[in-house]
Amino acid sequence: MPNQTRLADPLVDTAFKALFGREDTTHLLKRFLNALLPPEQQIESLKLQTPELGPPRLGAKTSVVDIRAVAKNGRTFQVEVQIVVDASLPERMLFSWGRVYHEQLS
C-alpha cells in the first residue's frame, strides 16, 4: 500500500478555523484578508473576537460566524466559509452582517 498523505480541506469549518481563527495564526488571517482588500484598505493588525453574536433581544437566537476580528483602526471583519450554498445563505449573511454592524454603532 503506497504512503498516502491526507491533507485537511481548508474549506471545512474546523480546518478553516484552525488555520485562520487562532491567536497564534492571526498573521495568516491578516495576509488572507489583505490579499482580498485594495491597497488603501490594507490591515496593519488584527485582534480576534468571539465568533458568537449575542441575541439582539431576550429570547432571540444567537448567531455564530466562522471568524470575527477587529483591525487596529476599529474595522470589523466577519469571515465565513461555505462549501454548500443553500437558499437561506443570503439572508443569513445579511442578518449576521447587520448584527456586526449594529455592535459598532455608538
Side-chain angles (χ1 to χ4, degrees):
M1 178 188 279
N3 184 8
Q4 295 181 347
T5 303
R6 294 188 67 195
L7 302 175
D9 183 349
L11 296 179
V12 174
D13 279 351
T14 53
F16 186 82
K17 290 175 186 179
L19 185 61
F20 295 111
R22 298 188 337 242
E23 286 296 332
D24 62 331
T25 63
T26 54
H27 64 289
L28 296 176
L29 179 60
K30 182 182 103 171
R31 291 188 67 162
F32 173 73
L33 292 172
N34 280 338
L36 301 172
L37 294 168
E40 66 275 6
Q41 294 181 16
Q42 295 291 292
I43 302 165
E44 291 180 35
S45 65
L46 283 173
K47 175 82 172 124
L48 290 177
Q49 290 188 324
T50 178
E52 291 184 359
L53 303 170
R57 65 186 184 287
L58 190 60
K61 185 177 177 184
T62 297
S63 297
V64 179
V65 297
D66 289 336
I67 297 173
R68 198 164 60 126
V70 176
K72 186 177 182 179
N73 67 0
R75 188 172 180 192
T76 299
F77 292 88
Q78 172 185 311
V79 184
E80 277 288 328
V81 63
Q82 296 292 317
I83 296 174
V84 177
V85 177
D86 61 46
S88 67
L89 181 62
E91 289 83 8
R92 285 190 2 245
M93 289 175 64
L94 183 59
F95 178 76
S96 59
W97 170 84
R99 300 273 291 281
V100 169
Y101 183 79
H102 180 263
E103 287 181 358
Q104 297 178 71
L105 297 175
S106 52

